[in-house]
Amino acid sequence: MPLYVYEARDGHKSCPFCQGGFEVTQRLSEDRLEKCPKCGNPVFRVIQAPGLTHSQTDLHYRAKRAGFHTLKKVDHGTFEKLY
Ligand SMILES: [Zn+2]
């Protein structure tokens, strides 16, 4: 499943979770997130440049280094923190 990166639209109103961006694994068929699952403030999906393919491990490493949270969507509206 593809991993998407989201960031808060308004960094001043957002919570620490979405402020620096976070990653969510979603099925292609799933709608993109409109709101932060923690604080409910609007988020946007960061478009990742095509051709820049990284293995999951690289992605997780980079995400961790950048302070991102990697989440797995376990149920509708429920997230499990993996890292
Ligand atoms: Zn938030």
Side-chain angles (χ1 to χ4, degrees):
M1 287 199 293
L3 195 64
Y4 296 110
V5 177
Y6 288 91
E7 271 183 35
R9 279 190 194 279
D10 186 344
H12 298 292
K13 279 194 253 174
S14 60
C15 67
F17 175 74
C18 58
Q19 224 163 42
F22 61 95
E23 294 183 341
V24 182
T25 305
Q26 291 184 290
R27 288 176 215 284
L28 286 170
S29 57
E30 283 185 83
D31 289 338
R32 65 179 62 189
L33 294 180
E34 301 278 339
K35 293 173 184 177
C36 167
K38 302 275 184 192
C39 67
N41 277 309
V43 293
F44 66 94
R45 193 159 80 185
V46 178
I47 307 299
Q48 287 167 309
L52 287 177
T53 48
H54 293 274
S55 70
Q56 285 287 85
T57 315
D58 280 351
L59 206 58
H60 285 157
Y61 175 73
R62 289 189 306 121
K64 222 172 156 183
R65 212 176 35 174
F68 286 177
H69 302 276
T70 304
L71 300 175
K72 187 175 74 169
K73 196 169 186 181
V74 286
D75 201 347
H76 198 74
T78 310
F79 295 86
E80 181 187 325
K81 191 172 174 185
L82 297 177
Y83 293 90

